[in-house]
Amino acid sequence: MTVVKDESGRKAADDKGDMPGGGDAYVPSQRRLDRERHKRTRARRATAIAAVSTLVTAVVLYVVVVSAPGWERTKETFFDGHYAREAFPKVLEGLWLNIRLLLICGVLVLVLGMLIAIARTLRGPVFFPLRVLAAAYTDFFRGLPLIINLMIVVFGVPALRLQGVTVDPVWLGGAALTLTYSAYVAEVFRAGIESVHPSQRAAARSLGLSNRQALRHVVLPQAVRRQVPPLLNDLVSLQKDTGLVSIGGAIDAVRASDIIAQRALNYTPYIVAGLVFVALTIPMTRFTDWVTARMDRQRAQGGTT
């Protein structure tokens, strides 16, 4: 190991950071100190530039919006404090329905999506009809717009007058959400299953596991772990789309804001509902980003396959 002398005459380790022998304390070299000082300077400068750029952009947008000819009318129509205070508790009360739909539909979507994905990946000619049905299901509901699916289920099922079938718009809306999102989630699961190398299944079979056991204990754990980020993204989208059940008359956050807006002829309640959904979505989005970054670091370090 090479050493250099600093200005005080002491021996310092070079910039490789090795510990000198004999138990001496590590003393960074002047080169390392200069490099770290330069990195701190660049970081402070980048932070300052970003802050100034953000401030300038915010000021420009504020001036453009406030100086618009119709700003005063827009402010009264969309940003009225009185109607915001009136709408906020009603929107929160309706949001509880959206949260319950998210929890129930989220579980059903994951289960149904997994079953469809497994059906599409089954091998052997005997499972051909099942694979065709699963493929037709995913193709149909991924191509059908969600709002049309909601209208068909919410308004079409009660028109059939089936005995023992609910006509509650909440349950019917949840069923429509489950049908659509399970098709998307099924493709996510299928992509994860097919991303597992065939040698994993062959190794499991060589150890005496059946096809079902290999799928359950070897393939699916790897597939699900790899697809966690896109699954979380689908759940974020589901959380926002629960507001569409309001088209059937369910009193959720969107419908609660719509009732006040129609009565007052003021659109501020819509802004309140939108901000509430944004506040609920941001933590889920940041959690998804954290999980994605964590899995990327683990893969880079060889922690996951």
Side-chain angles (χ1 to χ4, degrees):
M1 180 189 68
T2 60
V3 295
V4 296
K5 288 188 177 182
D6 58 13
E7 296 177 356
S8 62
R10 294 177 301 175
K11 289 184 176 181
D14 62 3
D15 58 354
K16 294 182 180 178
D18 296 329
M19 286 294 293
D24 295 336
Y26 167 70
V27 179
S29 67
Q30 187 63 37
R31 182 186 303 173
R32 176 178 286 274
L33 294 175
D34 292 341
R35 185 164 59 240
E36 293 177 351
R37 188 182 304 111
H38 177 66
K39 289 181 179 179
R40 289 194 297 268
T41 302
R42 289 186 59 184
R44 287 194 296 266
R45 182 172 59 186
T47 302
I49 293 174
V52 172
S53 176
T54 302
L55 179 61
V56 171
T57 303
V59 171
V60 170
L61 290 176
Y62 176 79
V63 171
V64 170
V65 172
V66 172
S67 62
W71 166 244
E72 291 299 328
R73 180 59 179 167
T74 302
K75 181 180 178 181
E76 294 175 2
T77 306
F78 289 90
F79 302 100
D80 190 289
H82 169 72
Y83 292 113
R85 289 188 294 270
E86 179 184 352
F88 185 68
K90 297 295 184 182
V91 169
L92 286 184
E93 183 179 349
L95 184 66
W96 174 235
L97 174 60
N98 298 104
I99 294 175
R100 284 181 292 169
L101 279 172
L102 171 64
L103 296 176
I104 297 174
C105 294
V107 173
L108 294 177
V109 163
L110 292 176
V111 174
L112 184 57
M114 176 65 76
L115 294 176
I116 296 171
I118 293 175
R120 290 203 63 181
T121 57
L122 291 175
R123 301 179 179 181
V126 68
F127 296 114
F128 177 77
L130 193 58
R131 292 198 298 268
V132 170
L133 289 176
Y137 178 94
T138 56
D139 291 343
F140 179 78
F141 283 105
R142 290 176 71 197
L144 184 68
L146 175 58
I147 191 168
I148 294 180
N149 185 20
L150 279 162
M151 290 180 177
I152 292 174
V153 175
V154 173
F155 300 127
V157 171
L160 296 175
R161 299 181 182 180
L162 298 174
Q163 294 294 327
V165 178
T166 182
V167 296
D168 189 336
V170 175
W171 288 101
L172 294 177
L177 290 172
T178 302
L179 290 173
T180 295
Y181 271 90
S182 61
Y184 287 98
V185 170
E187 288 300 285
V188 173
F189 279 132
R190 185 171 73 92
I193 292 173
E194 293 181 349
S195 69
V196 178
H197 198 275
S199 62
Q200 297 288 317
R201 191 189 297 264
R205 295 284 290 144
S206 68
L207 293 175
L209 275 67
S210 63
N211 281 325
R212 184 174 61 181
Q213 290 173 330
L215 180 66
R216 176 184 176 185
H217 297 291
V218 178
V219 177
L220 288 183
Q222 296 184 60
V224 172
R225 185 167 62 246
R226 293 176 179 181
Q227 299 304 107
V228 167
L231 288 174
L232 290 175
N233 283 328
D234 284 335
L235 290 180
V236 171
S237 298
L238 176 62
Q239 183 269 319
K240 294 182 295 182
D241 285 341
T242 55
L244 294 176
V245 299
S246 61
I247 65 174
I251 308 298
D252 68 328
V254 176
R255 183 60 178 167
S257 65
D258 183 64
I259 292 174
I260 300 175
Q262 296 298 327
R263 173 173 53 82
L265 298 179
N266 188 283
Y267 299 134
T268 303
Y270 293 138
I271 302 297
V272 174
L275 292 177
V276 168
F277 273 101
V278 169
L280 185 63
T281 302
I282 287 178
M284 297 177 64
T285 306
R286 296 286 76 81
F287 176 71
T288 302
D289 294 341
W290 177 81
V291 170
T292 303
R294 181 172 179 269
M295 294 185 68
D296 289 342
R297 289 195 302 269
Q298 289 180 342
R299 271 194 291 265
Q301 298 170 0
T304 59
T305 57

